[in-house]
Amino acid sequence: MKPTPILKVQNLKVHYPVRSGFINFKPQSFLKAVDGVSFDLFPGEVLGLVGESGCGKSSLGKSLLRLQEPTAGQIELSGQDFLALKGEALRSRRPEIQMIFQDPYASLDPRMTIEATLREPLEAHGLWKSTQSQKTLNKILDRVGISSVALSKYPHEFSGGQRQRIAIARALILNPKIIVADEPVSSLDVSVQAQVLNLLKEIQKEFNLSMVFISHNLAVVKYIADRIAVMYLGKIVEITSKTELYSRPQHPYTQALISAVPIADPKVEKARKRIQLQGELPSPINPPKGCAFHTRCPIVKESCKAEAPKLKDFEKPSWQVSCFEVR
Amino acid sequence: MALLEIKNLKAHFHTRKGVVKAVNGISYSLNPGETLGIVGESGSGKSVSQLSYLRLLPSPPLRIPEGEVLYRGENILTMSDDKLRALRGNKISMIFQEPMTSLNPYLTIGSQLIEPLVIHSKLSKKVAWKEACEALNRVGIPEAEKAMKVYPHEFSGGMRQRVMIAMALTTRPEVLIADEPTTALDVTVQAQILEILKTIQKETQMAIILITHDLGVIAGISDKVVVMYAGRVFEEAPVDTLFENSEHPYTRALLKSTPRIDISQEKIPVIGGTIPDLSQLKTGCPFYERCDYRKDICQAEFPKVRKVSSVHESFCHVENFK
């Protein structure tokens, strides 16, 4: 039997209005950052979300927490319609899904001590109980590898890697079921990046968390994710298990993306054949008609310019590709 | 003779909080047609080492207390400003990381592109315009005539970086210093840009110094690699040797801690601790506290160069790695 998803996203859309005039406030057009995305997230699973800048992966991440209200679509959190919730009902569900942001220099308040930063989520949800919570605080800080001496310090006293650990602690403090991590290691140096990645993986296993891991770095995603969704101009073009995606990518964009990632081994690099994509990401305000990828696709056919392909099963229901040429 | 030779270069910033020793005595050389990759984490001094001798950093706070940088045998550090100005942006060109900030938003692409040609090559504007169009074609910008008339904001990041490369190449430099040229770009665009650099290098035989933190980029483009850490060179070797038979614990640890798409790993081996504060460097090896192979002597003095082979140098007291 298939497990029930903890998060079910259906046909989600995030459109931003583009206003050009000062007086004419009516939106002239819409930037379709996320344009009809559907996926399931299962308990204890890490779903990687990859794509180039501007493909809508961050907008999607934020809309999962309703930090950015989706324009259309459905999100079910543990079987309940998350988008229909309002007021107190919404607030009481928010602890279940937490976020880690890319830049720990911006996501921690410079004027709050680490203790205040970690206490705030508990207090906001009325969960602060002085002695017991203080213990939780120390325990979580210890778990992310920060000494409890840090509680009275301010963010500027920590390095980037340590700050990201604190941000992880803040996301964990409400005991969430789901964590959305938006490029959590992109701003860190290689040696520190590995530390934080290992920590995230350990914590995910230990607390049996479900995670949406957003990144442009395919090597990092390969390390941490179980399943991976590849996005291009607001849509998922391929979604499957990590093993299949890296060994037999089907969508021409996935193939090009994987072949473009440099590998830290000169022998491998010299022997590799790259699929060179021409041009760059088209504007999401006026995406190309038909398949959004047709302007750069190496195997484009006339029909691709007229009609947009839909996600279809490839070999099995868990592997979906949106391309006419993949059968 | 080497085209560019850096000998024991030091670059220190004198700040109110103390002296930040960003570059602490580094040496390497560059031959014509060669690509030298400089790899290191942030704060390793890889950028400062280049910017300092080209006088692209404010001084004070920068001071260069020691060292020599020889371009065709002539010391750049003691050159007059006028002479350096004739060299910089002409025979030694640079590409920076952020194509957004390194182009002037008020000027059209064309007027920025012809500037080095008018100043350095003393061409008339008309001839320079033609040359600039050709340069744009070379870096894969279609409809160069049209592109010359637009402003930088009308271009995407990848296109702007192409313009930067075109600009750096108009004067046919002998040395191109590329400081993280693809870090701000997406991988598919990065692949395009690196390909352009390789092609142009084949045609013109210019030497490239490529500064990056990405070992994958280094593996794909360099002939020779210098590994930097906390203002020091830790290792220098031909690219294959460095990746296969590194003789320095830091290089080895760095290679292991880089996630790769062609390998499945359960756990990434990490380097514990963090990069030291450059204003409070102790004597000895700056990697001491994070090193798995450390010995007492490492704390006392920075190791002298050890020649593993005629082209492979390592700065480490430890000799035998398993």
Side-chain angles (χ1 to χ4, degrees):
Chain A
M1 204 187 83
K2 232 182 147 191
T4 37
I6 187 162
L7 190 75
K8 195 172 178 63
V9 176
Q10 276 179 315
N11 202 19
L12 196 75
K13 290 183 181 177
V14 179
H15 293 180
Y16 300 107
V18 181
R19 298 188 169 93
S20 55
F22 175 63
I23 294 170
N24 181 5
F25 204 61
K26 218 179 102 198
Q28 304 295 306
S29 52
F30 288 91
L31 188 155
K32 296 173 180 170
V34 181
D35 201 21
V37 164
S38 308
F39 64 85
D40 292 339
L41 181 71
F42 296 99
E45 179 194 47
V46 181
L47 176 73
L49 213 54
V50 300
E52 297 180 279
S53 48
C55 74
K57 51 192 194 303
S58 289
S59 290
L60 176 58
K62 279 186 200 152
S63 67
L64 295 178
L65 280 88
R66 293 183 65 183
L67 289 178
Q68 168 67 46
E69 285 293 336
T71 317
Q74 278 171 349
I75 300 175
E76 274 178 30
L77 185 61
S78 314
Q80 203 187 4
D81 188 350
F82 188 52
L83 294 182
L85 297 177
K86 275 185 192 156
E88 193 47 45
L90 172 63
R91 255 169 62 88
S92 69
R93 297 296 300 274
R94 282 208 187 270
E96 289 174 38
I97 177 162
Q98 291 289 314
M99 189 147 182
I100 302 166
F101 297 92
Q102 171 172 1
D103 184 1
Y105 289 79
S107 66
L108 296 176
D109 190 325
R111 286 185 285 191
M112 280 165 83
T113 60
I114 304 309
E115 177 165 8
T117 299
L118 293 178
R119 268 176 77 152
E120 195 177 33
L122 289 169
E123 285 171 344
H125 289 281
L127 299 168
W128 179 259
K129 299 177 197 80
S130 49
T131 43
Q132 196 195 336
S133 299
Q134 195 69 46
K135 267 188 200 151
T136 325
L137 250 162
N138 288 333
K139 220 169 82 190
I140 284 188
L141 260 193
D142 185 53
R143 183 61 199 88
V144 298
I146 301 279
S147 118
S148 54
V149 186
L151 282 171
S152 56
K153 292 189 179 176
Y154 288 89
H156 74 262
E157 298 174 71
F158 297 93
S159 69
Q162 288 172 317
R163 282 184 222 199
Q164 203 56 300
R165 286 168 190 272
I166 293 164
I168 294 172
R170 178 177 60 182
L172 288 174
I173 200 112
L174 288 169
N175 206 9
K177 292 178 184 152
I178 303 169
I179 283 194
V180 176
D182 188 0
E183 302 265 14
V185 296
S186 303
S187 64
L188 306 175
D189 271 313
V190 186
S191 68
V192 183
Q193 171 178 298
Q195 296 171 9
V196 174
L197 271 180
N198 282 338
L199 174 69
L200 274 172
K201 200 169 180 175
E202 285 162 24
I203 283 173
Q204 184 266 328
K205 290 234 162 78
E206 215 172 290
F207 296 80
N208 196 30
L209 290 168
S210 303
M211 197 187 304
V212 177
F213 190 96
I214 301 168
S215 179
H216 70 282
N217 186 329
L218 280 100
V220 164
V221 172
K222 176 168 191 180
Y223 171 68
I224 201 157
D226 303 310
R227 272 195 313 144
I228 293 167
V230 181
M231 284 185 76
Y232 189 79
L233 277 185
K235 290 194 168 78
I236 291 179
V237 295
E238 183 162 4
I239 179 166
T240 184
S241 75
K242 146 170 87 179
T243 342
E244 276 153 351
L245 192 90
Y246 286 95
S247 58
R248 299 198 295 135
Q250 291 301 317
H251 196 283
Y253 178 63
T254 318
Q255 290 169 353
L257 199 61
I258 289 177
S259 89
V261 178
I263 295 178
D265 187 334
K267 289 232 166 86
V268 179
E269 274 292 296
K270 267 163 210 151
R272 278 172 101 203
K273 279 222 171 79
R274 287 232 147 82
I275 305 168
Q276 280 275 357
L277 284 186
Q278 298 305 310
E280 290 170 43
L281 205 70
S283 155
I285 298 176
N286 282 310
K289 291 221 161 44
C291 174
F293 186 56
H294 86 248
T295 53
R296 301 171 77 194
C297 184
I299 55 164
V300 62
K301 298 267 159 21
E302 266 314 304
S303 57
C304 305
K305 295 175 188 170
E307 200 190 335
K310 290 197 173 66
L311 272 179
K312 272 189 302 209
D313 292 358
F314 176 77
E315 289 183 2
K316 52 188 157 191
S318 64
W319 191 344
Q320 295 184 309
V321 187
S322 91
C323 179
F324 294 122
E325 294 300 307
V326 177
R327 288 176 199 105
Chain B
M1 190 176 66
L3 188 58
L4 191 74
E5 203 173 354
I6 296 180
K7 286 183 183 171
N8 193 26
L9 180 71
K10 292 187 178 175
H12 296 171
F13 292 98
H14 291 254
T15 67
R16 252 183 283 172
K17 283 183 185 165
V19 182
V20 178
K21 296 177 176 170
V23 177
N24 239 331
I26 57 165
S27 307
Y28 47 80
S29 63
L30 180 74
N31 296 313
E34 187 175 51
T35 302
L36 169 72
I38 302 182
V39 67
E41 300 179 88
S42 46
S44 62
K46 54 191 192 304
S47 294
V48 173
S49 64
Q50 301 300 319
L51 295 169
S52 62
Y53 68 80
L54 291 170
R55 292 181 214 167
L56 290 172
L57 293 169
S59 173
L62 175 78
R63 257 185 232 166
I64 301 181
E66 247 182 271
E68 268 180 60
V69 180
L70 305 176
Y71 169 74
R72 293 193 173 279
E74 205 178 343
N75 191 354
I76 293 181
L77 296 181
T78 53
M79 251 179 212
S80 69
D81 280 344
D82 283 342
K83 209 164 170 195
L84 177 64
R85 207 173 290 132
L87 198 64
R88 191 178 52 203
N90 188 13
K91 290 297 154 205
I92 302 178
S93 273
M94 279 200 86
I95 313 172
F96 300 96
Q97 172 175 353
E98 262 303 329
M100 307 271 184
T101 49
S102 39
L103 288 170
N104 187 336
Y106 293 111
L107 299 176
T108 58
I109 299 291
S111 59
Q112 297 186 58
L113 264 176
I114 63 167
E115 198 180 282
L117 286 167
V118 173
I119 293 174
H120 289 301
S121 312
K122 311 267 186 295
L123 297 180
S124 71
K125 282 199 172 169
K126 216 170 174 180
V127 183
W129 187 271
K130 246 193 187 148
E131 287 251 334
C133 284
E134 266 170 45
L136 283 182
N137 277 328
R138 267 210 303 268
V139 295
I141 294 184
E143 300 180 77
E145 276 289 339
K146 220 165 117 190
M148 292 284 281
K149 288 173 191 152
V150 308
Y151 288 89
H153 76 267
E154 298 174 62
F155 271 155
S156 67
M159 291 299 257
R160 282 189 208 133
Q161 200 57 295
R162 282 169 211 258
V163 172
M164 284 300 296
I165 295 175
M167 194 188 296
L169 295 177
T170 47
T171 55
R172 302 183 199 283
E174 291 175 324
V175 182
L176 178 72
I177 299 167
D179 189 356
E180 304 265 11
T182 57
T183 306
L185 307 175
D186 283 315
V187 277
T188 57
V189 182
Q190 165 170 290
Q192 294 168 1
I193 298 282
L194 292 176
E195 206 49 51
I196 290 171
L197 283 178
K198 274 191 222 169
T199 319
I200 291 174
Q201 184 179 34
K202 248 183 223 151
E203 286 165 15
T204 63
Q205 281 300 303
M206 69 177 173
I208 298 179
I209 297 181
L210 185 97
I211 301 170
T212 179
H213 67 279
D214 189 331
L215 284 160
V217 172
I218 288 276
I221 195 170
S222 326
D223 302 314
K224 186 163 93 179
V225 185
V226 163
V227 181
M228 285 190 72
Y229 185 84
R232 300 268 192 182
V233 169
F234 270 4
E235 191 167 13
E236 179 186 331
V239 67
D240 292 343
T241 315
L242 189 98
F243 280 81
E244 263 171 44
N245 293 310
S246 163
E247 283 286 329
H248 199 286
Y250 175 66
T251 314
R252 287 175 170 240
L254 198 63
L255 283 170
K256 274 194 216 142
S257 63
T258 306
R260 286 170 55 162
I261 60 158
D262 59 334
I263 291 176
S264 290
Q265 284 170 299
E266 248 327 289
K267 200 173 162 94
I268 310 172
V270 301
I271 311 176
T274 47
I275 298 159
D277 184 342
L278 292 174
S279 63
Q280 280 157 26
L281 286 176
K282 298 176 190 126
T283 51
C285 177
F287 191 55
Y288 175 77
E289 272 152 21
R290 307 174 77 188
C291 186
D292 291 336
Y293 297 89
R294 63 182 169 218
K295 300 193 286 193
D296 285 345
I297 186 167
C298 307
Q299 214 173 356
E301 56 178 293
F302 187 76
K304 291 197 174 60
V305 59
R306 182 164 70 86
K307 289 248 178 207
V308 183
S309 73
S310 62
V311 285
H312 187 177
E313 294 179 351
S314 168
F315 293 81
C316 184
H317 289 295
V318 185
E319 279 191 30
N320 294 310
F321 293 99
K322 273 173 221 118

